[in-house]
Amino acid sequence: MGSRYDRAITVFSPDGHLLQVEYAQEAVRKGSTAVGVRGSDVVVLGVEKKSVAKLQEERTVRKICLLDDHVVMAFAGLTADARILINRAQIECQSHKLTVEDPVTLEYITRYIAGLKQKYTQSNGRRPFGISCLLAGFDYDGVPHLYQTEPSGIYYEWKANATGRSAKTVREFLEKYYTEELVSTEKGTVKLAIRALLEVVQSGRKHLEIAVMRRGEPMQMLDVEKIEEYVVEIEKEKEEEAEKKKQKK
Amino acid sequence: MAFVDRAYSGLSNNIHGGFEVPDWLSAEHSTGTSIMAVEYNGGVVIGADSRSTTGSYISNRFTDKLTQITEHIYCCRSGSSADTQAIANIVRYHLDFHSIELGEPPLVEAAANIFRELCYNYRDSLMAGIIVAGWDKRRGGQVYCVPLGGMCVRQPLAIGGSGSTYVYGYVDAHFKKDMSKKECLEFVTNTLALAMSRDGSSGGVVRLADLTEKGIERFTVLGDQLPRFYEG
Protein backbone atom coordinates (compact mmCIF):
# COMPACT_ATOMS: atom_id res chain seq x y z
CA MET A 1 0.00 0.00 0.00
CA GLY A 2 3.02 2.17 0.26
CA SER A 3 3.53 3.37 -3.27
CA ARG A 4 1.57 6.62 -3.21
CA TYR A 5 2.15 7.53 0.42
CA ASP A 6 5.84 7.11 0.96
CA ARG A 7 7.06 10.07 -1.08
CA ALA A 8 7.06 12.91 1.38
CA ILE A 9 7.42 12.22 5.05
CA THR A 10 4.69 14.65 5.97
CA VAL A 11 1.99 12.53 4.44
CA PHE A 12 -0.01 9.96 6.37
CA SER A 13 -1.09 6.86 4.51
CA PRO A 14 -4.84 6.17 4.49
CA ASP A 15 -4.46 3.59 7.23
CA GLY A 16 -2.66 6.01 9.50
CA HIS A 17 0.98 5.04 8.95
CA LEU A 18 3.98 7.27 8.41
CA LEU A 19 5.66 5.06 5.89
CA GLN A 20 9.00 6.87 5.86
CA VAL A 21 9.32 6.28 9.59
CA GLU A 22 8.56 2.61 9.12
CA TYR A 23 11.12 2.36 6.36
CA ALA A 24 13.62 4.00 8.68
CA GLN A 25 12.86 1.32 11.25
CA GLU A 26 13.55 -1.22 8.51
CA ALA A 27 16.96 0.39 7.99
CA VAL A 28 17.60 -0.03 11.70
CA ARG A 29 16.75 -3.70 11.47
CA LYS A 30 19.47 -4.09 8.86
CA GLY A 31 22.15 -2.52 11.03
CA SER A 32 24.54 -4.52 13.21
CA THR A 33 23.26 -5.51 16.61
CA ALA A 34 23.68 -3.36 19.69
CA VAL A 35 22.80 -4.47 23.21
CA GLY A 36 22.56 -2.66 26.53
CA VAL A 37 22.25 -4.03 30.07
CA ARG A 38 21.70 -1.97 33.20
CA GLY A 39 23.19 -3.36 36.39
CA SER A 40 23.12 -1.89 39.87
CA ASP A 41 26.65 -0.48 39.67
CA VAL A 42 27.45 -0.53 35.98
CA VAL A 43 25.74 -0.09 32.65
CA VAL A 44 27.13 -2.12 29.78
CA LEU A 45 26.77 -1.47 26.05
CA GLY A 46 27.87 -3.97 23.44
CA VAL A 47 27.93 -3.82 19.66
CA GLU A 48 28.69 -6.23 16.90
CA LYS A 49 31.73 -5.06 15.00
CA LYS A 50 31.44 -5.51 11.26
CA SER A 51 34.31 -7.45 9.82
CA VAL A 52 36.62 -5.24 7.77
CA ALA A 53 37.89 -5.93 4.28
CA LYS A 54 41.40 -7.36 3.95
CA LEU A 55 43.06 -4.12 2.99
CA GLN A 56 41.03 -1.94 5.33
CA GLU A 57 42.64 -0.55 8.47
CA GLU A 58 41.09 -1.95 11.57
CA ARG A 59 40.35 1.34 13.29
CA THR A 60 38.07 0.59 16.14
CA VAL A 61 35.00 1.82 14.35
CA ARG A 62 33.17 4.21 16.61
CA LYS A 63 29.82 2.56 17.06
CA ILE A 64 30.02 3.35 20.73
CA CYS A 65 30.43 7.08 21.38
CA LEU A 66 30.80 9.29 24.40
CA LEU A 67 28.29 12.10 24.56
CA ASP A 68 29.72 13.47 27.82
CA ASP A 69 31.94 12.07 30.60
CA HIS A 70 28.97 10.23 32.07
CA VAL A 71 26.83 9.39 29.02
CA VAL A 72 27.68 6.80 26.40
CA MET A 73 25.69 5.86 23.31
CA ALA A 74 25.58 2.88 20.98
CA PHE A 75 23.41 2.69 17.88
CA ALA A 76 22.15 0.46 15.09
CA GLY A 77 21.48 1.68 11.59
CA LEU A 78 22.98 4.30 9.27
CA THR A 79 26.36 5.29 10.72
CA ALA A 80 26.45 8.58 8.85
CA ASP A 81 23.11 9.64 10.32
CA ALA A 82 24.42 8.75 13.75
CA ARG A 83 27.40 11.09 13.38
CA ILE A 84 25.07 14.06 12.98
CA LEU A 85 22.94 13.16 15.97
CA ILE A 86 25.97 12.47 18.13
CA ASN A 87 27.45 15.85 17.28
CA ARG A 88 24.21 17.66 18.15
CA ALA A 89 23.87 15.69 21.38
CA GLN A 90 27.46 16.41 22.42
CA ILE A 91 26.92 20.12 21.91
CA GLU A 92 23.69 19.97 23.89
CA CYS A 93 25.47 18.21 26.78
CA GLN A 94 28.01 21.04 26.98
CA SER A 95 25.43 23.75 26.45
CA HIS A 96 23.34 22.37 29.31
CA LYS A 97 26.40 22.36 31.58
CA LEU A 98 27.17 25.95 30.69
CA THR A 99 23.68 27.32 31.31
CA VAL A 100 22.54 25.36 34.36
CA GLU A 101 25.95 24.33 35.75
CA ASP A 102 24.91 20.70 36.00
CA PRO A 103 25.67 17.75 33.75
CA VAL A 104 22.70 16.43 31.77
CA THR A 105 20.57 13.66 33.17
CA LEU A 106 20.14 10.60 30.97
CA GLU A 107 16.46 11.35 30.58
CA TYR A 108 17.13 14.91 29.45
CA ILE A 109 19.57 14.03 26.74
CA THR A 110 17.39 11.11 25.60
CA ARG A 111 14.43 13.47 25.36
CA TYR A 112 16.58 15.90 23.40
CA ILE A 113 17.68 13.28 20.88
CA ALA A 114 14.17 11.88 20.60
CA GLY A 115 12.83 15.39 20.05
CA LEU A 116 15.37 15.91 17.29
CA LYS A 117 14.35 12.67 15.62
CA GLN A 118 10.68 13.59 15.85
CA LYS A 119 11.30 16.92 14.15
CA TYR A 120 12.54 15.07 11.12
CA THR A 121 9.29 13.09 10.94
CA GLN A 122 7.32 16.27 10.59
CA SER A 123 9.42 18.36 8.23
CA ASN A 124 9.09 18.93 4.58
CA GLY A 125 11.66 17.45 2.26
CA ARG A 126 13.68 15.74 5.00
CA ARG A 127 13.83 12.09 5.85
CA PRO A 128 13.93 10.61 9.35
CA PHE A 129 17.21 9.45 10.92
CA GLY A 130 17.78 5.78 10.20
CA ILE A 131 19.13 4.88 13.60
CA SER A 132 17.99 3.51 16.90
CA CYS A 133 20.09 4.64 19.86
CA LEU A 134 20.87 3.02 23.19
CA LEU A 135 21.93 5.62 25.77
CA ALA A 136 23.58 4.54 28.98
CA GLY A 137 25.11 6.21 31.97
CA PHE A 138 24.68 7.54 35.48
CA ASP A 139 22.86 10.68 36.56
CA TYR A 140 24.65 12.90 39.05
CA ASP A 141 22.56 11.37 41.83
CA GLY A 142 24.29 8.08 41.09
CA VAL A 143 21.30 6.24 39.59
CA PRO A 144 22.09 4.21 36.45
CA HIS A 145 19.84 4.41 33.41
CA LEU A 146 19.49 2.79 30.01
CA TYR A 147 17.29 4.45 27.40
CA GLN A 148 16.37 3.63 23.82
CA THR A 149 15.25 6.04 21.09
CA GLU A 150 13.71 5.15 17.74
CA PRO A 151 13.49 6.87 14.36
CA SER A 152 9.91 7.85 15.17
CA GLY A 153 11.09 9.94 18.08
CA ILE A 154 9.73 7.80 20.90
CA TYR A 155 11.94 6.82 23.81
CA TYR A 156 11.69 4.20 26.51
CA GLU A 157 13.72 3.26 29.54
CA TRP A 158 14.90 -0.33 29.76
CA LYS A 159 16.58 -2.69 32.18
CA ALA A 160 18.12 -4.45 29.19
CA ASN A 161 17.44 -4.27 25.48
CA ALA A 162 18.85 -4.83 22.04
CA THR A 163 18.40 -3.16 18.69
CA GLY A 164 19.48 -3.79 15.12
CA ARG A 165 19.78 -7.10 13.36
CA SER A 166 18.28 -10.05 15.29
CA ALA A 167 17.20 -7.71 18.09
CA LYS A 168 14.21 -9.90 18.80
CA THR A 169 16.36 -12.97 19.45
CA VAL A 170 18.64 -11.04 21.77
CA ARG A 171 15.76 -9.45 23.63
CA GLU A 172 14.12 -12.83 24.17
CA PHE A 173 17.43 -14.13 25.51
CA LEU A 174 17.67 -11.19 27.87
CA GLU A 175 14.11 -11.64 29.05
CA LYS A 176 14.92 -15.24 29.83
CA TYR A 177 18.17 -14.71 31.69
CA TYR A 178 18.00 -11.21 33.20
CA THR A 179 17.66 -11.27 36.98
CA GLU A 180 18.28 -8.51 39.50
CA GLU A 181 20.65 -10.84 41.28
CA LEU A 182 22.71 -11.53 38.18
CA VAL A 183 23.24 -7.87 37.36
CA SER A 184 24.04 -6.85 40.93
CA THR A 185 27.73 -7.36 40.13
CA GLU A 186 29.77 -5.83 37.33
CA LYS A 187 30.96 -9.23 36.20
CA GLY A 188 27.41 -10.57 35.97
CA THR A 189 26.23 -7.60 33.95
CA VAL A 190 29.10 -7.73 31.48
CA LYS A 191 28.75 -11.48 31.11
CA LEU A 192 25.05 -11.17 30.38
CA ALA A 193 25.68 -8.55 27.71
CA ILE A 194 28.38 -10.62 26.05
CA ARG A 195 26.32 -13.80 26.22
CA ALA A 196 23.38 -12.03 24.66
CA LEU A 197 25.51 -10.70 21.81
CA LEU A 198 27.18 -14.03 21.22
CA GLU A 199 23.76 -15.52 20.46
CA VAL A 200 23.58 -13.60 17.22
CA VAL A 201 27.09 -12.52 16.28
CA GLN A 202 28.80 -14.86 13.84
CA SER A 203 32.33 -15.90 14.77
CA GLY A 204 31.86 -14.32 18.18
CA ARG A 205 34.67 -12.87 20.23
CA LYS A 206 36.76 -10.97 17.72
CA HIS A 207 33.72 -9.07 16.55
CA LEU A 208 32.52 -7.62 19.80
CA GLU A 209 33.01 -4.16 21.20
CA ILE A 210 32.02 -3.73 24.85
CA ALA A 211 31.83 -0.46 26.78
CA VAL A 212 31.48 -0.40 30.55
CA MET A 213 30.19 2.69 32.35
CA ARG A 214 30.88 2.76 36.09
CA ARG A 215 29.47 5.29 38.57
CA GLY A 216 31.72 8.34 38.75
CA GLU A 217 34.36 6.93 36.42
CA PRO A 218 35.17 7.51 32.77
CA MET A 219 33.90 4.97 30.27
CA GLN A 220 36.07 1.93 29.73
CA MET A 221 36.23 -0.01 26.48
CA LEU A 222 37.10 -3.61 27.30
CA ASP A 223 40.14 -4.76 25.41
CA VAL A 224 40.25 -7.93 23.36
CA GLU A 225 41.97 -10.00 26.04
CA LYS A 226 39.39 -9.10 28.65
CA ILE A 227 36.52 -9.98 26.31
CA GLU A 228 38.29 -13.23 25.48
CA GLU A 229 38.39 -14.10 29.21
CA TYR A 230 34.65 -13.58 29.50
CA VAL A 231 33.93 -15.55 26.34
CA VAL A 232 36.00 -18.49 27.54
CA GLU A 233 34.14 -18.46 30.85
CA ILE A 234 30.80 -18.27 29.08
CA GLU A 235 31.62 -21.17 26.79
CA LYS A 236 32.68 -23.25 29.77
CA GLU A 237 29.37 -22.50 31.47
CA LYS A 238 27.47 -23.42 28.30
CA GLU A 239 29.29 -26.72 28.13
CA GLU A 240 28.49 -27.45 31.75
CA GLU A 241 24.84 -26.68 31.11
CA ALA A 242 24.79 -28.96 28.07
CA GLU A 243 26.43 -31.73 30.16
CA LYS A 244 23.78 -31.38 32.84
CA LYS A 245 21.02 -31.64 30.26
CA LYS A 246 22.57 -34.76 28.80
CA GLN A 247 22.84 -36.34 32.22
CA LYS A 248 19.21 -35.64 32.98
CA LYS A 249 18.15 -37.41 29.83
CA MET B 1 29.77 45.29 40.34
CA ALA B 2 32.59 43.28 41.79
CA PHE B 3 36.02 43.32 40.22
CA VAL B 4 38.88 40.97 40.65
CA ASP B 5 40.87 44.19 40.85
CA ARG B 6 40.35 47.93 41.20
CA ALA B 7 37.19 49.75 40.29
CA TYR B 8 36.87 50.70 36.69
CA SER B 9 34.48 53.52 36.00
CA GLY B 10 34.67 54.02 32.25
CA LEU B 11 33.92 57.69 32.32
CA SER B 12 36.02 58.93 35.13
CA ASN B 13 34.40 62.05 36.33
CA ASN B 14 34.38 62.97 39.94
CA ILE B 15 31.03 64.64 39.89
CA HIS B 16 27.96 62.59 40.73
CA GLY B 17 24.67 64.43 40.71
CA GLY B 18 26.39 67.73 41.26
CA PHE B 19 28.49 66.54 44.22
CA GLU B 20 32.23 66.11 44.26
CA VAL B 21 33.29 62.56 45.11
CA PRO B 22 36.66 61.57 46.50
CA ASP B 23 39.42 60.63 44.11
CA TRP B 24 39.81 57.10 45.30
CA LEU B 25 36.33 56.19 44.13
CA SER B 26 37.27 56.45 40.49
CA ALA B 27 40.13 54.29 39.43
CA GLU B 28 42.94 54.09 36.98
CA HIS B 29 42.57 51.76 34.07
CA SER B 30 45.06 49.13 35.21
CA THR B 31 43.57 45.87 36.35
CA GLY B 32 44.01 45.16 40.06
CA THR B 33 45.24 41.85 41.41
CA SER B 34 48.60 40.14 41.31
CA ILE B 35 48.82 36.89 39.36
CA MET B 36 51.76 34.84 38.23
CA ALA B 37 52.70 31.59 36.54
CA VAL B 38 56.06 29.83 36.11
CA GLU B 39 56.99 26.81 33.99
CA TYR B 40 59.37 24.19 35.32
CA ASN B 41 60.47 20.79 34.17
CA GLY B 42 57.45 18.59 34.78
CA GLY B 43 54.75 21.17 35.37
CA VAL B 44 53.78 24.72 36.21
CA VAL B 45 53.35 26.69 39.40
CA ILE B 46 50.62 29.33 39.44
CA GLY B 47 49.79 31.88 42.08
CA ALA B 48 47.45 34.77 42.83
CA ASP B 49 46.45 37.11 45.61
CA SER B 50 42.94 36.91 47.03
CA ARG B 51 41.52 40.43 46.97
CA SER B 52 38.35 41.37 45.03
CA THR B 53 37.31 45.00 45.11
CA THR B 54 34.22 47.04 44.31
CA GLY B 55 35.73 50.48 44.13
CA SER B 56 37.77 50.68 47.26
CA TYR B 57 35.63 48.23 49.18
CA ILE B 58 37.12 44.78 49.40
CA SER B 59 34.14 42.69 48.40
CA ASN B 60 35.95 39.36 48.84
CA ARG B 61 39.21 39.01 50.78
CA PHE B 62 39.55 35.26 50.21
CA THR B 63 38.88 35.03 46.47
CA ASP B 64 40.08 32.12 44.44
CA LYS B 65 41.47 33.53 41.22
CA LEU B 66 42.96 30.22 40.11
CA THR B 67 40.13 28.72 38.11
CA GLN B 68 39.97 25.19 36.79
CA ILE B 69 39.33 24.73 33.10
CA THR B 70 40.17 21.03 32.84
CA GLU B 71 41.90 18.62 35.15
CA HIS B 72 45.32 19.75 33.91
CA ILE B 73 44.64 23.30 32.73
CA TYR B 74 44.00 26.27 35.00
CA CYS B 75 43.79 30.02 34.46
CA CYS B 76 44.70 33.01 36.59
CA ARG B 77 42.11 35.73 36.27
CA SER B 78 42.63 39.49 36.50
CA GLY B 79 40.32 42.30 35.44
CA SER B 80 36.56 42.27 35.74
CA SER B 81 35.31 39.32 37.82
CA ALA B 82 32.15 39.00 35.74
CA ASP B 83 34.03 39.04 32.44
CA THR B 84 36.69 36.56 33.48
CA GLN B 85 34.21 34.16 35.07
CA ALA B 86 32.02 34.21 31.97
CA ILE B 87 35.01 33.69 29.69
CA ALA B 88 36.32 30.81 31.79
CA ASN B 89 32.92 29.09 31.70
CA ILE B 90 32.71 29.39 27.93
CA VAL B 91 36.27 28.13 27.46
CA ARG B 92 35.45 25.18 29.72
CA TYR B 93 32.45 24.40 27.50
CA HIS B 94 34.55 24.45 24.35
CA LEU B 95 37.38 22.40 25.83
CA ASP B 96 35.06 19.74 27.29
CA PHE B 97 33.49 19.31 23.88
CA HIS B 98 36.89 19.30 22.19
CA SER B 99 38.30 16.66 24.52
CA ILE B 100 35.32 14.35 23.96
CA GLU B 101 35.83 14.68 20.20
CA LEU B 102 39.57 14.10 20.56
CA GLY B 103 39.20 11.24 23.00
CA GLU B 104 42.05 12.57 25.15
CA PRO B 105 42.86 15.56 27.37
CA PRO B 106 43.20 18.82 25.40
CA LEU B 107 46.45 20.71 24.88
CA VAL B 108 47.21 23.80 26.93
CA GLU B 109 47.85 25.59 23.65
CA ALA B 110 44.28 24.82 22.59
CA ALA B 111 42.91 26.31 25.80
CA ALA B 112 45.06 29.41 25.44
CA ASN B 113 43.89 29.90 21.87
CA ILE B 114 40.25 29.60 22.79
CA PHE B 115 40.80 32.23 25.48
CA ARG B 116 42.49 34.38 22.90
CA GLU B 117 39.65 34.01 20.36
CA LEU B 118 37.18 35.30 22.92
CA CYS B 119 39.40 38.02 24.35
CA TYR B 120 40.39 39.32 20.92
CA ASN B 121 37.01 39.20 19.18
CA TYR B 122 35.23 40.86 22.10
CA ARG B 123 38.11 43.09 23.12
CA ASP B 124 35.98 46.23 23.13
CA SER B 125 33.45 44.81 25.57
CA LEU B 126 35.72 42.87 27.86
CA MET B 127 38.25 43.72 30.53
CA ALA B 128 40.16 40.54 31.13
CA GLY B 129 43.83 39.82 31.63
CA ILE B 130 44.33 36.08 31.82
CA ILE B 131 47.26 33.76 32.31
CA VAL B 132 46.61 30.21 31.08
CA ALA B 133 48.80 27.52 32.58
CA GLY B 134 48.77 23.75 32.58
CA TRP B 135 50.34 20.43 31.73
CA ASP B 136 49.82 18.24 28.70
CA LYS B 137 51.73 15.23 27.49
CA ARG B 138 52.96 16.82 24.28
CA ARG B 139 54.83 19.80 25.71
CA GLY B 140 54.77 19.33 29.48
CA GLY B 141 54.27 22.41 31.63
CA GLN B 142 53.32 25.56 29.74
CA VAL B 143 52.36 29.15 30.52
CA TYR B 144 50.50 31.34 28.04
CA CYS B 145 49.78 35.03 28.56
CA VAL B 146 46.47 36.44 27.22
CA PRO B 147 46.40 40.11 28.23
CA LEU B 148 43.83 42.85 27.59
CA GLY B 149 43.87 43.18 23.79
CA GLY B 150 43.74 39.47 23.10
CA MET B 151 47.32 38.55 22.34
CA CYS B 152 48.46 35.00 23.04
CA VAL B 153 52.09 34.19 23.66
CA ARG B 154 53.89 31.42 25.47
CA GLN B 155 56.42 32.45 28.10
CA PRO B 156 58.47 30.56 30.68
CA LEU B 157 57.20 33.05 33.22
CA ALA B 158 54.26 35.43 33.24
CA ILE B 159 53.03 38.04 35.69
CA GLY B 160 49.83 40.02 35.47
CA GLY B 161 47.45 42.36 37.21
CA SER B 162 48.10 45.80 38.67
CA GLY B 163 50.43 44.40 41.30
CA SER B 164 52.73 42.97 38.66
CA THR B 165 54.10 46.40 37.70
CA TYR B 166 55.85 46.64 41.08
CA VAL B 167 57.67 43.35 40.72
CA TYR B 168 59.06 43.31 37.19
CA GLY B 169 62.45 44.21 38.58
CA TYR B 170 62.40 41.52 41.26
CA VAL B 171 61.26 38.89 38.76
CA ASP B 172 63.91 39.83 36.18
CA ALA B 173 66.59 39.66 38.84
CA HIS B 174 65.56 36.41 40.47
CA PHE B 175 64.18 34.18 37.71
CA LYS B 176 66.45 31.34 36.63
CA LYS B 177 65.76 28.56 34.15
CA ASP B 178 65.32 24.96 35.32
CA MET B 179 64.15 25.71 38.81
CA SER B 180 62.78 22.88 40.92
CA LYS B 181 59.18 22.73 42.08
CA LYS B 182 60.18 23.94 45.55
CA GLU B 183 62.20 26.85 44.17
CA CYS B 184 59.28 27.85 41.93
CA LEU B 185 56.83 27.83 44.82
CA GLU B 186 59.16 30.00 46.88
CA PHE B 187 59.80 32.35 43.97
CA VAL B 188 56.08 32.83 43.28
CA THR B 189 55.29 33.32 46.97
CA ASN B 190 58.00 35.95 47.37
CA THR B 191 57.01 37.80 44.21
CA LEU B 192 53.35 37.92 45.08
CA ALA B 193 54.08 38.96 48.67
CA LEU B 194 56.11 41.91 47.40
CA ALA B 195 53.41 42.86 44.91
CA MET B 196 50.71 42.62 47.55
CA SER B 197 52.60 44.80 49.97
CA ARG B 198 52.96 47.63 47.43
CA ASP B 199 49.70 47.41 45.46
CA GLY B 200 46.56 48.61 47.21
CA SER B 201 44.29 46.44 45.09
CA SER B 202 46.18 43.26 45.88
CA GLY B 203 46.22 41.56 49.26
CA GLY B 204 44.82 38.86 51.45
CA VAL B 205 46.44 35.46 51.14
CA VAL B 206 48.64 33.95 48.48
CA ARG B 207 46.96 31.09 46.70
CA LEU B 208 49.37 28.68 45.01
CA ALA B 209 48.88 25.63 42.86
CA ASP B 210 51.26 23.10 41.37
CA LEU B 211 50.03 21.51 38.13
CA THR B 212 51.69 18.33 36.91
CA GLU B 213 50.85 15.11 35.14
CA LYS B 214 49.30 13.91 38.38
CA GLY B 215 46.87 16.84 38.51
CA ILE B 216 46.62 19.80 40.85
CA GLU B 217 48.11 20.34 44.29
CA ARG B 218 46.93 23.48 46.05
CA PHE B 219 48.57 25.55 48.76
CA THR B 220 47.49 28.65 50.69
CA VAL B 221 49.93 30.98 52.40
CA LEU B 222 47.98 32.85 55.04
CA GLY B 223 48.61 36.47 55.93
CA ASP B 224 50.75 35.87 58.97
CA GLN B 225 52.93 33.34 57.12
CA LEU B 226 53.71 35.62 54.17
CA PRO B 227 57.40 36.37 53.68
CA ARG B 228 58.19 39.85 54.86
CA PHE B 229 60.61 42.23 53.27
CA TYR B 230 61.74 45.78 53.93
CA GLU B 231 58.66 47.57 55.19
CA GLY B 232 60.11 51.00 56.03
Side-chain angles (χ1 to χ4, degrees), chain B residues 24 80 198:
Chain B
W24 44 260
S80 150
R198 280 293 182 182

Side-chain angles (χ1 to χ4, degrees), chain A residues 133-150:
Chain A
C133 309
L134 284 174
L135 290 129
F138 287 83
D139 287 347
Y140 52 78
D141 60 2
V143 180
H145 292 282
L146 173 68
Y147 282 93
Q148 183 199 22
T149 65
E150 296 213 324

